[in-house]
Structures are given as structure tokens and as C-alpha cells.
Amino acid sequence: MKKLQLLIGLAVLLFSVGCKDMLKPEIENNLDLESTYNNATYAQGLLLNGYARIPTNSWSFNDVATDDAVSNDRNNAYLKIATGQWTAINNPLSQWVNSRAAIQYLNLFFSVTDQVKWAVEPNINRMFNDRMKGEGYALRAMFNYYLLQAHAGKGNNGQLLGIPVVLQPEGQDADFNKPRATFDATMEQIYRDLDMAEQLLPVDFEDIASDAQIPAKYSGVGKDNYNRVFGYYFRGRVTARIAKAIRAKASLLAASPAFNPSAVAKWEKAANDAAAVIDLRGGLVNLNANDIKWYDKDAGIEGLASGVNPSEILWRSDVGNSNDLERNNFPPTLFGSGRVNPTQNLVNAFPMANGYPIGEANSGFSASSPYDNRDPRLKLYILVNGGTAGTAGTAINTTLNGPTNDALNKVETSTRTGYYMRKLLRQDVNLNPSSTTNQKHYNPRIRYTEIYLSYAEAANEAWGPLNGGTHAYSAYDVIKAIRRRAGVGTNNNDPYLESIKSDQVKMRELIRNERRLELCFEGFRFWDLRRWNTSLTEVAQGVSISGTTFTPINVENRVYQPYMIYGPIPYSEILKYNNLIQNAGW
């Protein structure tokens, strides 16, 4: 027993000695900002944090909070806000945390970049520093735009407010109790950042062939060194072209009725900003038929080289190999969950192939065969009853008493509207558990069609349908080109468009409708309805099909209040900071 006690005592003594170092706290492996000066990778990480937080890196499908779609997932956050649960506490649309965090990292980057050793040779070091600062300015402008989109509005004081403009990194001792700048002041900061970005960045990241192509400010560095900094290797990062597109998005928001009651000058600016992007592309050219299905193999996704864009895409995420979109949205018979269900409202918005809206006397619409002779985009983007999907081209039955789980309200993964989403989905994905396959996908951050439609909207408001200001194309020209690309009115010169081409109000309606169709399921409708200051409460409808009888049904009410054209400042922030003014009604 004594021997055992002795052994235990020795073990405790040895353990105590051995634990001395173990119990002593180690210095945390956290680098301070000064460490970035000689660690370019760490410094660049601050910038790359901005890229990682871009909201359009993933799909939101906030369309299900609008008159375009509903969700069969009863826990969907957008379903909840559309049916009366949107508050300053419960706001899945908030960008307050994500975008402000991105801006904090970008401001940290700006605070160190001039001291970072990007390269040994001074001229190359300067080029790297210029390029990354240009990227940072464009990203900061973009995140301020997303903050405005989600949180700008008329405050309780009646003033149109933006967000707190933060240009310096905020440390633990910073004054976080900053007031919101006015909406216009926030826009001016966005424009200043984009001005800086365009000065510092090339139009595109591509290799040059000779020293003669080097900008004068970098003369003498040689083409190889120039390509090392501004060449094709950096495709996918922000360029001057992308900065111009961000400007076009922001100025369209600023010109819209919710933020601009009457100023024509703001519409002119929005039109000019969009035209600057279009002109870089050569005008109304390269509108290819495959652009309307940019997500499909026919649009060249399979052969995309690293950083290369298809003709429709101005800026995109990386290509990934997956079947997540299909698993969530294929009909049940194709082993999907059928989550996003397009509404009858959206289906009705697609015109006939002859260009006439379905309610027009000359349309030829038939209530007993409502999907015949329609705009080709209807069956491309929406899976209607009898439409085919999947690798085998399976016919989908969405009728009231259909024999499969694809039928209306059959099971929890069935459609609630009589329709399934088809757009964005690779039909060559197989979800059968015995032979599952993946396919390539990417997220478009900015599409050229968005910019075309932004121009059409702004030009129509600024100069009318047929006047292009100083530009060679008008709102009418853009809409005609987009409809022709889609196969609308191609056999009869689009008589409906011709009949309204001098009417600004009817052209406005048509432009908004084309935007609705072309950008459906890409997260635009929610924001468009609000910036247009239009009704948010149109009931989401579906269709009950029995034989040749198509009966509209009310699927989901939209419970919005008029003040909800503007989103809230998070309630937690209002509680903490008395200088923050909440938007009226929240």
C-alpha cells in the first residue's frame, strides 16, 4: 500500500511539473494590422473578404415573397414575411450585418494597403496597390448599394435617409452611434468610390500584346510586368466595366419613384450610366438566342475557361459542380422537393408569341389551351402541366387529381400553384438515387440583360419611348431587340409593340413586364416592386386543372403595409444607438 501511495505521489509530482507549460496560456495566433506590411497574403485576405460576402454569390429566391411565386416549404423565411411576419426583428432581407462587415474589412484594407510590400520593384508594387485599391473602392460602393436597397427609406422624421457612411475601420473604441446620412449623400459616396475604381482599374483583366498598350501612368514597366498585375489571371475580380455596371444599378435605384418623386435628371443619369456599359459592348449587339438560357449547356457553360464569361454575363461567380438547385426544385417524380412554385400571376404576364398580352382582343389566347402559342420563354422558365423535364423528358402532370405526387397539393413537396420552376435548372441532372449526377452551375452577379432593361426603363422616363438622348438607341429599340431575341413577334413585326411605341405610360408597363419575365427567379421582383412604389398585396394565384377546365385559385395572400416599400433598420441597432432614426412604420 505504501508503495502504491509512493507511486501515486510521484505521478502527481511529474504531472504537475509537466503541466506547468501546458497550463500557461499561449499567445494567440492573431496577427495585428502591422503584420500586413510584410505579408501581402494577409493584406489581400482583407480585400477578399469583400468578395466572399457578395449577396449574389448564392440564390435567395425572395421571389416567393412576391406575386411571382410561392414556396411549398412552410418554414421558408420569405413566405413568413409575405404573410405578415416581417418585422424589424425578423428580417431575412437585412444587409446590415453582412454588408457592414464587408465594409469594415475593406476599410481595414484601405488603412494598410499603402504600407504593404506587394512587390519588390517599386513600379510593380504601385500597380498592385492601385489595382487592389480599385477593387476595394468598387466593392465598398457595391455594399453601400445593397445597404441602401435593403434599409434606405423615409425616417420617422419624414426625411429620405440612407445609411451611416463609414470610411474608416471601426475599432473597439470607435463611436458606433453614427446617424444615417441622407439618401442623396449616401449615393454621392457610392459615386465617389466608383469614380476612384474606374480610375484605377482596367476595363477588363486581359493580357496586352505590346508595350504600346501600357497606360501612360505605368510607362516603362514592360508588358510582361503589366500583365503580371492586370492580365487574364485576375479575371473574375472587379474591373472598370463591372464598376460601371454597379453604378448603373445604383443610379437606377436612385431614380426610382420610391426614392425620386419627380427629378428627370436622375432618370437621365440612370440612362446614361446604363448606356456607358452597353456602349462598351458595342451597343445593341450580341443578343444571342441562347442568352435567355444562359444557365444551360446550350449557352456554353460546359466549355467555359477559367474566368471567361458567356456573351450574356458581365460578372459571375465561379463555376461549381452540383445538383442542389435541382434537388430543391425538380418535381417530386424527379426526386426533387419542388420548392419554388411560379404563380398564375406570372404565367399570365407572358404574352402570346405574336406579342399581344393575353388579355388583348388580337392575342388569340384560348382559355382551354392556355399554354399554346405563347411567348417561348413561358415553357422555358416555367414547368406547366404536360411540360417535360429531366434527363428522360418526363411529362409532368400538375392537375387537381393527377396520378403522381407532381399533382396540385398532393404531398408536401407538390406544387401549390399548378406550376414548377424550370429556369436555372439543368435538365441533364439526374437525381435518381441509383444514378445521381451533378452538372455545372454559376451565379450571375450582373447580366447584360439587366443593364439593357435598366436603360430602357430610365430612357423611357427621361426622354420617352423613341428618344435615346445622346445615344443611338431608345427604350423602344432595346425592348424590340429583347423580345425579338426571345422569339416574340418575330413573324409579324410585333404589332403590339408598334401600337404603343409612342405612349410613355404603356411603354413603362411593357418595360416593367419584360423585366419581370427576363429576370424572374433571380431575386429582382421583390426589390423592383418596392422601388416602383407599387402595390405589394396582389394575391398569389395558382390554377386548378380538371380536363380542359383551368380554374384560377387563390393560393396565398400578401400581407404588406404601405410603409413596407422601405425595409427596417434592425431593431437591435435602434435600441443601442439613439442617433439612428428608424424608417417610418417599423
Side-chain angles (χ1 to χ4, degrees):
M1 186 67 179
K2 286 182 179 179
K3 287 183 179 179
L4 179 59
Q5 289 175 335
L6 180 60
L7 289 172
I8 291 173
L10 287 171
V12 170
L13 179 63
L14 290 171
F15 180 77
S16 299
V17 172
C19 284
K20 247 183 177 182
D21 291 334
M22 184 181 76
L23 296 175
K24 181 180 179 182
E26 289 288 350
I27 298 174
E28 289 186 16
N29 188 26
N30 289 335
L31 299 177
D32 55 29
L33 283 175
E34 286 73 15
S35 302
T36 63
Y37 300 163
N38 293 303
N39 188 339
T41 301
Y42 178 33
Q44 189 171 191
L46 298 171
L47 175 66
L48 295 179
N49 193 282
Y51 283 98
R53 291 177 180 274
I54 296 172
T56 50
N57 283 341
S58 59
W59 297 109
S60 72
F61 293 116
N62 57 37
D63 309 69
V64 303
T66 75
D67 54 355
D68 272 4
V70 301
S71 175
N72 64 18
D73 177 6
R74 299 296 181 170
N75 293 315
N76 183 284
Y78 300 116
L79 179 154
K80 291 180 178 179
I81 69 168
T83 53
Q85 298 181 51
W86 192 12
T87 70
I89 296 174
N90 175 39
N91 182 15
L93 298 149
S94 177
Q95 275 295 314
W96 201 264
V97 172
N98 177 71
S99 288
R100 283 174 64 88
I103 290 170
Q104 166 73 350
Y105 277 102
L106 293 169
N107 286 341
L108 285 169
F109 169 78
F110 287 129
S111 74
V112 300
T113 182
D114 289 337
Q115 286 77 47
V116 175
K117 188 175 182 180
W118 297 108
V120 174
E121 207 280 319
N123 285 336
I124 299 175
N125 186 79
R126 176 194 169 198
M127 288 194 296
F128 270 118
N129 191 34
D130 283 354
R131 193 203 79 205
M132 292 197 206
K133 282 200 292 189
E135 293 176 53
Y137 284 122
L139 289 172
R140 188 167 70 180
M142 181 193 69
F143 283 110
N144 274 318
Y145 158 74
Y146 282 117
L147 280 166
L148 279 185
Q149 184 185 61
H151 302 288
K154 288 186 179 177
N156 289 323
N157 61 355
Q159 189 176 20
L160 184 59
L161 298 173
I163 45 118
V165 174
V166 181
L167 304 179
Q168 300 296 328
E170 296 177 296
Q172 291 181 345
D173 298 327
D175 177 13
F176 294 98
N177 193 14
K178 291 185 172 68
R180 296 166 65 184
T182 65
F183 180 86
D184 286 342
T186 312
M187 285 300 307
E188 288 305 316
Q189 181 56 49
I190 289 173
Y191 295 146
R192 281 193 292 271
D193 276 348
L194 292 171
D195 288 342
M196 291 297 297
E198 290 181 40
Q199 290 173 27
L200 294 169
L201 293 170
V203 173
D204 298 301
F205 287 120
E206 297 295 342
D207 281 359
I208 60 173
S210 70
D211 288 358
Q213 295 173 269
I214 299 173
K217 62 182 176 179
Y218 301 130
S219 61
V221 299
K223 72 175 180 66
D224 290 340
N225 286 328
Y226 182 84
N227 290 339
R228 173 184 166 190
V229 180
F230 294 107
Y232 77 91
Y233 182 79
F234 296 100
R235 289 171 180 164
R237 292 200 180 192
V238 181
T239 61
R241 183 189 302 267
I242 294 167
K244 289 179 184 295
I246 294 170
R247 184 189 298 271
K249 290 169 71 74
S251 59
L252 182 70
L253 180 75
S256 299
F259 304 101
N260 173 37
S262 60
V264 174
K266 290 189 176 182
W267 284 115
E268 291 177 341
K269 175 170 174 49
N272 290 332
D273 287 346
V277 180
I278 295 170
D279 289 344
L280 269 182
R281 200 184 187 217
L284 293 183
V285 298
N286 299 322
L287 275 78
N288 303 316
N290 281 337
D291 288 348
I292 64 174
K293 48 182 178 178
W294 50 266
Y295 50 85
D296 191 74
K297 63 179 180 179
D298 293 339
I301 191 173
E302 297 298 329
L304 281 182
S306 178
V308 174
N309 288 328
S311 60
E312 168 62 8
I313 303 301
L314 195 154
W315 192 26
R316 65 172 174 84
S317 69
D318 292 336
V319 174
N321 208 42
S322 70
N323 59 29
D324 292 342
L325 271 176
E326 292 73 23
R327 191 172 297 280
N328 283 324
N329 294 292
F330 267 178
T333 54
L334 297 180
F335 305 95
S337 296
R339 290 306 188 202
V340 177
N341 305 157
T343 58
Q344 186 65 47
N345 317 53
L346 177 58
V347 170
N348 290 345
F350 287 87
M352 301 298 288
N354 62 18
Y356 284 99
I358 64 171
E360 291 283 324
N362 295 325
S363 69
F365 175 74
S366 170
S368 60
S369 53
Y371 312 128
D372 293 345
N373 302 314
R374 297 290 291 275
D375 178 339
R377 291 171 294 188
L378 172 59
K379 292 183 181 179
L380 184 64
Y381 292 165
I382 296 176
L383 188 53
V384 303
N385 181 53
T388 60
T391 54
T394 304
I396 303 301
N397 188 324
T398 67
T399 58
L400 177 60
N401 296 308
T404 70
N405 286 343
D406 297 336
L408 183 70
N409 290 322
K410 196 71 171 282
V411 295
E412 65 179 8
T413 55
S414 303
T415 176
R416 298 173 60 204
T417 62
Y419 303 103
Y420 292 96
M421 185 178 78
R422 199 174 193 278
K423 187 180 180 182
L424 309 180
L425 308 183
R426 293 287 299 265
Q427 301 302 315
D428 47 354
V429 161
N430 187 351
L431 296 179
N432 189 315
S434 65
S435 55
T436 304
T437 61
N438 296 330
Q439 294 295 349
K440 292 180 178 178
H441 300 80
Y442 61 82
N443 290 73
R445 292 172 179 154
I446 305 175
R447 292 208 284 130
Y448 276 107
T449 295
E450 177 194 349
I451 305 300
Y452 290 142
L453 290 165
S454 295
Y455 174 81
E457 180 180 341
N460 183 59
E461 300 299 333
W463 308 305
L466 298 173
N467 189 342
T470 60
H471 309 293
Y473 40 86
S474 64
Y476 159 81
D477 294 326
V478 170
I479 295 303
K480 190 162 185 89
I482 285 176
R483 283 162 69 91
R484 184 187 301 119
R485 178 183 68 180
V488 174
T490 54
N491 297 327
N492 59 354
N493 195 37
D494 204 347
Y496 178 73
L497 175 61
E498 294 302 312
S499 72
I500 68 163
K501 66 181 182 181
S502 298
D503 188 322
Q504 186 184 46
V505 173
K506 288 187 177 179
M507 184 62 79
R508 177 188 301 134
E509 293 173 358
L510 184 59
I511 291 168
R512 289 182 178 184
N513 196 69
E514 284 296 316
R515 186 175 176 93
R516 182 181 191 177
L517 305 184
E518 285 282 341
L519 303 178
C520 63
F521 312 125
E522 297 182 46
F524 285 88
R525 182 71 173 169
F526 188 92
W527 305 110
D528 283 344
L529 288 172
R530 282 156 180 75
R531 69 179 178 84
W532 291 332
N533 198 5
T534 55
S535 174
L536 310 174
T537 56
E538 184 176 335
V539 177
Q541 292 189 315
V543 64
S544 176
I545 305 171
S546 180
T548 59
T549 301
F550 295 74
T551 305
I553 57 173
N554 289 341
V555 176
E556 196 169 89
N557 290 331
R558 292 287 175 254
V559 185
Y560 292 113
Q561 301 301 318
Y563 65 82
M564 290 179 174
I565 61 166
Y566 307 118
I569 305 299
Y571 183 61
S572 60
E573 299 297 294
I574 297 295
L575 287 179
K576 287 186 290 186
Y577 305 119
N578 60 10
N579 281 334
L580 274 181
I581 295 174
Q582 180 62 282
N583 288 331
W586 293 98

